[in-house]
Amino acid sequence: SPPQGYYTRRGGIGESGDFVTSPEISQVFGELIGIWYISEWIATGKPKAFQLVELGPGRGTLTDDILRVFNQLASLLSKCDVSVHLVEVSPKLSEIQALMLTGGKVQSNPEDKSAYMKGVSKTGIPISWYRDIQDVPPGYSFYLAHEFFDALPIHKFQKTEKGWREVLVDIDPDVPDQLRFVLSPSGTPATENFIQPEETRDHVEVCPEAGVIIQRLACRIEKDGGAALVADYGHDGTKTDTFRGFRNHKLHDVLKAPGTADLTADVDFSYLRKMTQGRTATLGPIKQREFLKNMGIDLRLQVLLQNSRDTAMHEQLLHSYDMLMNPKKMGDRFNFFALLPHHRLADPDKKHKPESKSPLPPVAGFGELLLK
């Protein structure tokens, strides 16, 4: 909602807000994601240009950390034309992103129908802002959706003796300014369209908007190449009721004071996989701690600890590592999931002699770390 929506009014990321995200906890998180994109770029033959497209970039911290890696590897990327494309609907958050990434040097772009704002990063990379993924120009792209899909609206369904019913929001007749959940008296268009015939759970959450966005990403990757990395809390088609609210870092009743709390539901990765409709290969979901371990977080931590003389800094590094990796904190709650072109994972053609075609490099993060 433009006037009353949570993200258009508040968007409370960070310690003073309603929730905190991995990039806000440690720079290492974004650095390893930057390395993931570079490794995919190398594995696909170093194309002459790529777009980094982030959906819902929050405060811009993650893109900032990735761009720092790109800058440190500038000699490797010297012949590659890199650009950044941010899909952001919140005017407030896009201002914060612009300040973080460009120092505030941006121009609004009313005459351009697609990008509403443009600027250049502190490291000299062009950045554009869009309201919709469809406005981002086509081309070889790396897509990033970190804690994006969980914020999209869901439909909730409950299995009853009379069949599936949709969970709806109603005004409570006993308390006029309170809301309550009710079941639809009969089937709704959503129950007809979104419940899979093979469904075994008795309570299901479906996010059709996530399905549409994944389809668009899969179509783009199939046509233009690249990859998409999704990092979010979620499950592989096993969980039921996960819809909840957060305010000031505490659980909050989702029906109280609408628009003032962060509303979230776990991402159903099995649904995302289904909605690619076979256009791309999918990897994961795997736990955040496995992905980061495979990407070399332990090596990176050692380097940072060796380079830091400050006790407080040491403690901060170890604390943030624990937040990201501890199974009881973010380590098991967050998952990584990737979309890649089918040919990226295809076996070398068996008809040729084995030595004539080099095997494809493994996909970083989704297997054991090869660099020991």
Side-chain angles (χ1 to χ4, degrees):
S1 164
Q4 293 301 320
Y6 172 78
Y7 280 102
T8 47
R9 283 173 49 200
R10 278 171 71 106
I13 306 167
E15 285 187 19
S16 60
D18 299 309
F19 59 95
V20 82
T21 63
S22 298
E24 308 289 330
I25 290 168
S26 171
Q27 67 178 66
V28 177
F29 183 84
E31 290 171 352
L32 295 177
I33 287 177
I35 289 165
W36 191 86
Y37 288 123
I38 297 271
S39 90
E40 274 310 293
W41 173 73
I42 293 168
T44 49
K46 301 185 183 171
K48 290 192 167 52
F50 71 77
Q51 305 186 137
L52 175 67
V53 183
E54 187 176 3
L55 309 180
R59 293 151 62 97
T61 312
L62 189 47
T63 295
D64 195 47
D65 290 339
I66 292 169
L67 290 182
R68 190 171 58 253
V69 169
F70 289 0
N71 193 48
Q72 283 164 350
L73 299 173
S75 57
L76 185 64
L77 289 166
S78 61
K79 293 192 175 71
C80 184
D81 188 10
V82 180
S83 56
V84 171
H85 305 261
L86 304 178
V87 180
E88 179 58 75
V89 293
S90 164
K92 188 178 172 188
L93 284 173
S94 60
E95 278 176 32
I96 294 170
Q97 293 152 15
L99 204 60
M100 163 79 76
L101 297 168
T102 72
K105 299 188 190 75
V106 286
Q107 276 133 9
S108 59
N109 219 17
E111 69 285 346
D112 186 333
K113 293 287 182 287
S114 55
Y116 64 83
M117 192 162 76
K118 289 192 169 185
V120 177
S121 81
K122 295 166 191 166
T123 54
I125 289 174
I127 307 182
S128 307
W129 278 262
Y130 311 82
R131 289 193 176 84
D132 194 300
I133 179 85
Q134 285 171 291
D135 297 330
V136 176
Y140 183 94
S141 301
F142 291 130
Y143 300 94
L144 176 57
H146 176 262
E147 285 203 54
F148 171 75
F149 285 109
D150 70 83
L152 300 178
I154 54 162
H155 287 266
K156 283 176 84 66
F157 304 98
Q158 180 70 44
K159 199 177 202 173
T160 71
E161 288 165 7
K162 296 175 184 166
W164 285 99
R165 295 291 181 261
E166 188 166 4
V167 179
L168 303 170
V169 178
D170 184 26
I171 292 169
D172 191 332
D174 301 330
V175 196
D177 50 353
Q178 296 266 340
L179 298 171
R180 63 172 183 167
F181 285 121
V182 294
L183 291 182
S184 61
S186 59
T188 61
T191 52
E192 304 301 315
N193 289 304
F194 297 139
I195 298 289
Q196 305 294 328
E198 66 275 14
E199 187 54 70
T200 55
R201 289 171 287 175
D202 57 7
H203 189 104
V204 175
E205 296 166 335
V206 179
C207 178
E209 202 177 327
V212 170
I213 290 167
I214 274 288
Q215 276 181 358
R216 287 186 181 143
L217 293 181
C219 288
R220 282 169 165 253
I221 291 166
E222 181 185 42
K223 189 165 168 280
D224 301 319
L229 196 59
V230 176
D232 224 315
Y233 35 81
H235 57 91
D236 214 4
T238 51
K239 286 193 181 174
T240 54
D241 178 16
T242 70
F243 183 44
R244 57 205 184 279
F246 284 98
R247 192 169 176 185
N248 299 325
H249 304 273
K250 290 188 180 71
L251 279 169
H252 174 87
D253 182 340
V254 291
L255 297 180
K256 284 219 171 91
T260 65
D262 170 47
L263 301 183
T264 180
D266 283 18
V267 177
D268 182 344
F269 291 105
S270 70
Y271 175 70
L272 298 189
R273 190 183 299 112
K274 200 171 278 154
M275 296 311 282
T276 63
Q277 296 172 322
R279 289 192 175 94
T280 60
T282 59
L283 289 175
I286 70 166
K287 302 286 183 216
Q288 173 167 297
R289 65 188 167 90
E290 286 178 51
F291 179 86
L292 296 177
K293 203 169 211 38
N294 292 342
M295 287 302 299
I297 189 170
D298 295 338
L299 292 168
R300 183 73 184 119
L301 176 71
Q302 291 312 316
V303 170
L304 289 170
L305 288 171
Q306 281 161 14
N307 292 345
S308 145
R309 301 272 173 270
D310 181 7
T311 317
M313 188 64 188
H314 258 245
E315 277 175 23
Q316 174 57 38
L317 285 166
L318 292 168
H319 170 73
S320 56
Y321 175 88
D322 182 60
M323 279 289 286
L324 294 178
M325 299 294 282
N326 189 324
K328 293 190 177 74
K329 295 176 184 173
M330 289 174 154
D332 273 3
R333 287 189 54 216
F334 282 81
N335 296 274
F336 277 77
F337 179 77
L339 307 186
L340 297 151
H342 283 294
H343 61 75
R344 171 68 182 90
L345 299 175
D347 285 332
D349 190 345
K350 299 283 188 287
K351 281 177 250 173
H352 290 73
K353 289 182 186 147
E355 66 275 10
S356 67
K357 211 169 190 189
S358 58
L360 292 161
V363 177
F366 289 88
E368 284 299 307
L369 179 67
L370 295 173
L371 301 165
K372 284 285 183 271

